Amino acid sequence: MTTAMWFQAIGILLVFLVFVGLMMARKLPTILALPCMAILFAVIVGVPWVSGNPDTVTIAKTVLAGGSMKLSGAIAGLVFGAWFGQILNKVGITKAIIRKAAELAGDKPVLIAILFFITASIIFSAAGGLGMVILVGTIVIPIMLTAGISQFVASIVVLLAVGVGSLFNVSNWAVYVDVLGLSVDKIANYTLVVALPLIVISLIMIVFYVQKDGKGRKAWSMPAATPGDNNKVPAFALISPLVPVILVFIFKIDIVPAVIVGAIVTLLLTWPKRPIHILSSALVEGIQDVAGAMALMIGIGILLSSVMSPQVSAVISPLIETVLPGSPLTYILFFTILSPLAIYRGPLNVWGLGSGIAALFVTAGMSPVAAMLALRAVSNVQSVSDPTNSHNVWVADFTKSDINEILKKTLPWTMASVLISVIIGSFMVF
């Protein structure tokens, strides 16, 4: 690298650290920080704003215009996933699954917590977003609290379910398709590597904390049925949330058609009144649920276009190569020790800087599968423990728990799941 490139690298690093600090201090939202960083990175290395030559990389055309469309496939998957989640809610399947789990659990706190963890994980595998977390949480958390389960345990049951569900939620996979160029079936083949350790750790963690903290009352009651509850949902219709997952895992169908088939199957199994109204209103409400995530993906795409531009990549890639794990041991140590960098919108957070870092890892020589496995394993820390997650904030507020206590108590466990996943993954990718 030339002297000028070293100065440019230092400038990029300083911008990076400043914006990470602003995001961690919650002075600047990630949704604005990412495109601002992208523009500044390009400015520092001398990318022109505009050019009369259509083949020239520019900030206006390449970074902003091209970047805003870069994750269009991921955005489409997000919209269809949110649509499917609203359909499940409107036909009554979401609440029916929760009520069935509550009936099966009886008054045993450990069994209640485990069944709600499994149930919520299945629901979140079909539909994510804060709206679905609120819908599920407002039902299952009061039941757990009334059963004598502590506020902390009730909180982590929901948060762990969010983590597990997000790994199987096929609408989330599109970001890896767009960023790393992997096929959906390739992502599906490696999903259990990152999911099974988190599932096992979650079950151990739930049992441990229920035994340690749960001292409560034996009396508890089911929430009263509301006019929106559909208690006549056929039992066989409760498999609907798994339809898209099965289609992707077994039949290797792409994400969007799998979700559409899942929506059609759901309507056929439940046969609701006014199905056309359900489809249309679910789409509008689903888009509202994920509007923030869509805007975040646009920012991620803009950042990706900036860091992958020839000028920025030429400056950053040599630095990335110096820290790139090149053996199974360094791969394990690197991503386990640095996994906390996925929280507070850090550099390993896939919904922030992590996508750009992963793309640079691949450019520097890491295989796309290795980058995907590492990023997904580290995402377990982010999805469960990160106090900047909207679902963590809501759960902590709803249960009147300390969000920082949730971070401190869950981080060692989620880091353990990362360690197990990258150990297994290292044997598969090296």
Side-chain angles (χ1 to χ4, degrees):
M1 289 175 63
T2 65
T3 303
M5 292 177 70
W6 276 110
F7 278 112
Q8 290 170 343
I10 292 171
I12 288 175
L13 180 61
L14 290 175
V15 169
F16 169 77
L17 293 174
V18 168
F19 276 88
V20 169
L22 290 172
M23 287 187 287
M24 291 177 65
R26 301 189 184 183
K27 299 295 184 182
L28 184 66
T30 307
I31 203 171
L32 296 178
L34 297 182
C36 288
M37 270 196 298
I39 294 171
L40 289 175
F41 286 173
V43 169
I44 288 171
V45 299
V47 177
W49 279 92
V50 293
S51 174
N53 185 347
D55 295 327
T56 300
V57 173
T58 64
I59 294 174
K61 181 180 178 180
T62 309
V63 176
L64 295 178
S68 63
M69 297 299 294
K70 194 171 187 68
L71 297 186
S72 56
I75 292 172
L78 193 68
V79 169
F80 277 90
W83 175 57
F84 184 51
Q86 282 293 336
I87 292 172
L88 294 175
N89 179 29
K90 288 180 178 294
V91 300
I93 286 179
T94 301
K95 291 184 179 180
I97 290 174
I98 294 170
R99 294 180 67 84
K100 180 62 69 176
E103 292 170 1
L104 292 173
D107 61 351
K108 302 175 179 65
V110 172
L111 186 58
I112 291 170
I114 290 175
L115 280 179
F116 278 158
F117 162 69
I118 296 171
T119 301
S121 296
I122 292 172
I123 293 171
F124 295 143
S125 72
L130 179 60
M132 187 56 65
V133 173
I134 292 174
L135 173 67
V136 173
T138 52
I139 300 172
V140 303
I141 289 174
I143 295 176
M144 287 190 282
L145 295 179
T146 311
I149 294 172
S150 71
Q151 294 163 304
F152 169 71
V153 175
S155 299
I156 64 169
V157 166
V158 175
L159 296 177
L160 290 168
V162 171
V164 172
S166 66
L167 293 173
F168 289 99
N169 190 327
V170 295
S171 65
N172 290 336
W173 297 1
V175 68
Y176 299 99
V177 175
D178 286 352
V179 172
L180 300 176
L182 293 169
S183 63
V184 172
D185 62 310
K186 179 72 73 174
I187 298 171
N189 291 339
Y190 288 93
T191 293
L192 290 180
V193 176
V194 291
L196 280 179
L198 181 59
I199 292 171
V200 173
I201 290 291
S202 297
L203 291 172
I204 296 172
M205 186 176 177
I206 289 170
V207 172
F208 173 79
Y209 278 115
V210 169
Q211 303 261 348
K212 181 174 179 287
D213 299 344
K215 319 188 173 203
R217 302 159 305 208
K218 297 294 184 183
W220 64 285
S221 61
M222 286 285 294
T226 64
D229 286 344
N230 186 348
N231 294 319
K232 296 182 181 179
V233 174
F236 53 81
L238 301 185
I239 66 168
S240 297
L242 296 177
V243 171
V245 180
I246 293 171
L247 291 176
V248 171
F249 267 87
I250 298 178
F251 297 101
K252 310 301 181 185
I253 295 177
D254 286 335
I255 294 166
V256 171
V259 172
I260 292 174
V261 172
I264 294 172
V265 169
T266 300
L267 294 180
L268 291 175
L269 292 179
T270 56
W271 206 255
K273 296 178 181 178
R274 304 175 66 196
I276 301 301
H277 173 73
I278 287 176
L279 289 175
S280 59
S281 61
L283 181 58
V284 173
E285 293 174 26
I287 292 174
Q288 292 173 344
D289 286 343
V290 296
M294 290 167 59
L296 189 59
M297 283 191 171
I298 292 174
I300 292 172
I302 292 172
L303 181 65
L304 278 172
S305 291
S306 178
V307 299
M308 296 305 294
S309 66
Q311 297 94 325
V312 177
S313 181
V315 172
I316 298 179
S317 292
L319 302 179
I320 294 294
E321 289 174 2
T322 61
V323 298
L324 190 71
S327 68
L329 179 60
T330 55
Y331 181 81
I332 293 166
L333 294 176
F334 184 89
F335 288 106
T336 301
I337 295 172
L338 298 183
S339 59
L341 293 179
I343 62 177
Y344 292 109
R345 303 297 174 187
L348 291 183
N349 188 326
V350 70
W351 298 104
L353 302 173
S355 297
I357 297 295
L360 289 173
F361 278 162
V362 173
T363 302
M366 179 179 284
S367 74
V369 171
M372 179 268 295
L373 275 173
L375 212 58
R376 295 190 76 194
V378 170
S379 73
N380 292 342
V381 171
Q382 184 268 328
S383 58
V384 176
S385 304
D386 191 351
T388 65
N389 289 331
S390 56
H391 56 263
N392 285 59
V393 174
W394 180 83
V395 168
D397 180 70
F398 189 75
T399 60
K400 300 297 183 285
S401 300
D402 183 349
I403 196 168
N404 292 312
E405 181 189 16
I406 293 175
L407 168 63
K408 292 174 185 176
K409 288 187 175 181
T410 59
L411 185 59
W413 298 85
T414 52
M415 288 183 67
S417 76
V418 174
L419 174 61
I420 297 169
S421 292
V422 293
I423 288 174
I424 298 171
S426 67
F427 288 102
M428 304 174 73
V429 298
F430 283 95

